[in-house]
Amino acid sequence: MDQEQQYSVTELIHEASFRRMVNGTASPEEIDRWGRWMEASDENRQKAKKAISEITGFSFTDPADIGLQEQWTRLSEVTVNADQRYSPPVGQKDRGLRWIYRVAAAVLLVVSVGYGVHLYEVNKPEAELEQITQQETVTTQPNQQKTLKFTSGSRIAKVVLNGSSTLTYNVGLLKDQPIEISLEGEAFFDVEEGFSENPAFSVVTPDGVIEDIGTQFLVAVEEDRSRVILQEGRVNVRTGKGQDSIKEFQLSKDQMLEFDNINIMKQERVNSTLYTSWATGFMQFDHTDISTVADYIEQRYDVQAVLNNEEVSGITLEGAVYFKSLEGLMQSISDIAKIDVYQSHNRDTVYIGKTNLPQ
């Protein structure tokens, strides 16, 4: 690699050997080449820092001078195979390369600890934990969904953001501290068991705070209320503002809690899959009235649902369906109930049951 070769931040991000260096999988030769490139100028070092921040998802400060040889040797013992261990150069090059070895040490340590994002400063006799906070905001347009995934080792916590919603998250605080989320709109949370010893998410709404305990749940924030629906596991809910008005609840499977910052407006058992199916594509029927499904169709798809006769209104549904669209759900209902389900020409009405009206 020519030390005078010019790279933009974008080019560094897409350069395979640079990404290997950041991720702690580069060979000693690649580390040496990138070290010499960054040694060449302060401009190169600044570009590298920005690229590393983009690749790892957080930024860090350049710590003060350290005992480089000792720290690199300690890091190499726990991160690199014995036959790949690398000793940094000494003398003038050692001084010029201090920055890259500090960066590599920080990045390797960060990669090893998962979603907690721990960065150790090595400019003091005993390593100290520095809190790194990453804040991001995600917004969806109408009829758009976005999925966020957080990892902790092999465990995954997923958030599916529904249309016309905004979510802001803070991640990378102390290990096992909840990921703090502020939500406007609707989101579905799916946390694998063992993701964290403590709640993985702390969801803040204008009306309260929801914390999960290894679970699947939905949070919807409307203009004058918040709603929590638990599909699996447990969630803790704290409602109200001010010490005297705070109330705490723990929901169990298939419970819904609807509240504002003063009152509990509704607490009842529901078919949670009716509410979460937009995110999961799964709906479970358990003696579910077809009128309940019709209400769901109207609310979720912004259409009118019409039960064409009294015989249809008495039907209850059993079984599970998987679907990705209104058309898929209509076909599934038709197959289970053995009835006609179809839309009008202008697509604004869903008819359930036989009718003489034109289709």
Side-chain angles (χ1 to χ4, degrees), residues 4 7 36 49 61 115 128 174 274 276 278 289 330:
E4 296 183 358
Y7 290 92
R36 284 187 276 107
K49 289 176 68 174
T61 55
Y115 95 99
E128 293 185 358
L174 297 178
L274 289 178
T276 63
W278 63 266
D289 292 337
M330 291 166 52

Side-chain angles (χ1 to χ4, degrees), residues 116-332:
V117 191
H118 294 259
L119 174 62
Y120 288 87
E121 289 185 345
V122 288
N123 61 326
K124 298 182 180 179
E126 294 184 2
E128 293 185 358
L129 182 65
E130 178 180 345
Q131 294 186 25
I132 305 298
T133 302
Q134 176 189 358
Q135 178 172 301
E136 298 288 347
T137 297
V138 181
T139 300
T140 54
Q141 301 301 316
N143 301 316
Q144 180 188 34
Q145 295 177 7
K146 292 183 180 180
T147 299
L148 293 77
K149 289 185 178 180
F150 303 86
T151 60
S152 177
S154 62
R155 307 294 185 179
I156 296 175
K158 181 173 67 174
V159 183
V160 185
L161 189 64
N162 206 357
S164 303
S165 300
T166 298
L167 179 151
T168 300
Y169 68 85
N170 287 282
V171 66
L173 301 176
L174 297 178
K175 187 177 185 296
D176 285 333
Q177 188 166 344
I179 300 166
E180 296 181 357
I181 288 181
S182 176
L183 176 65
E184 297 177 7
E186 186 174 39
F188 175 73
F189 298 81
D190 186 356
V191 184
E192 285 190 359
E193 186 176 354
F195 180 85
S196 172
E197 293 180 2
N198 297 316
F201 294 109
S202 178
V203 185
V204 180
T205 81
D207 307 301
V209 178
I210 301 101
E211 291 186 338
D212 76 281
I213 309 176
T215 189
Q216 295 177 333
F217 66 103
L218 179 138
V219 178
V221 181
E222 300 176 0
E223 188 172 329
D224 61 345
R225 70 191 64 190
S226 297
R227 182 185 304 112
V228 184
I229 300 167
L230 180 62
Q231 183 163 310
E232 295 288 347
R234 291 180 295 156
V235 293
N236 291 329
V237 182
R238 294 195 306 274
T239 70
K241 302 290 185 180
Q243 194 68 28
D244 296 334
S245 61
I246 291 179
K247 300 177 182 177
E248 295 193 10
F249 301 85
Q250 186 172 101
L251 301 187
S252 57
K253 177 180 170 64
D254 289 332
Q255 280 192 321
M256 178 179 73
L257 185 69
E258 196 170 273
F259 57 96
D260 60 18
N261 59 13
I262 300 175
N263 300 309
I264 302 300
M265 308 173 77
K266 186 183 295 184
Q267 183 175 8
E268 62 185 8
R269 188 164 297 278
V270 297
N271 180 348
S272 60
T273 64
L274 289 178
Y275 297 87
T276 63
S277 58
W278 63 266
T280 64
F282 167 77
M283 187 179 292
Q284 178 72 49
F285 299 130
D286 183 12
H287 297 290
T288 303
D289 292 337
I290 200 165
S291 59
T292 300
V293 180
D295 290 342
Y296 165 83
I297 290 174
E298 289 189 336
Q299 179 182 8
R300 182 56 60 187
Y301 294 102
D302 194 25
V303 297
Q304 184 180 5
V306 177
L307 302 178
N308 285 323
N309 54 62
E310 293 183 3
E311 292 181 2
V312 171
S313 63
I315 292 175
T316 59
L317 302 178
E318 291 283 346
V321 297
Y322 295 85
F323 61 96
K324 295 183 178 180
S325 64
L326 174 58
E327 290 74 17
L329 177 58
M330 291 166 52
Q331 184 61 55
S332 296

Side-chain angles (χ1 to χ4, degrees), residues 328-344:
L329 177 58
M330 291 166 52
Q331 184 61 55
S332 296
I333 295 171
S334 178
D335 292 342
I336 290 176
K338 308 301 182 186
I339 58 175
D340 294 328
V341 182
Y342 51 90
Q343 279 184 281
S344 61

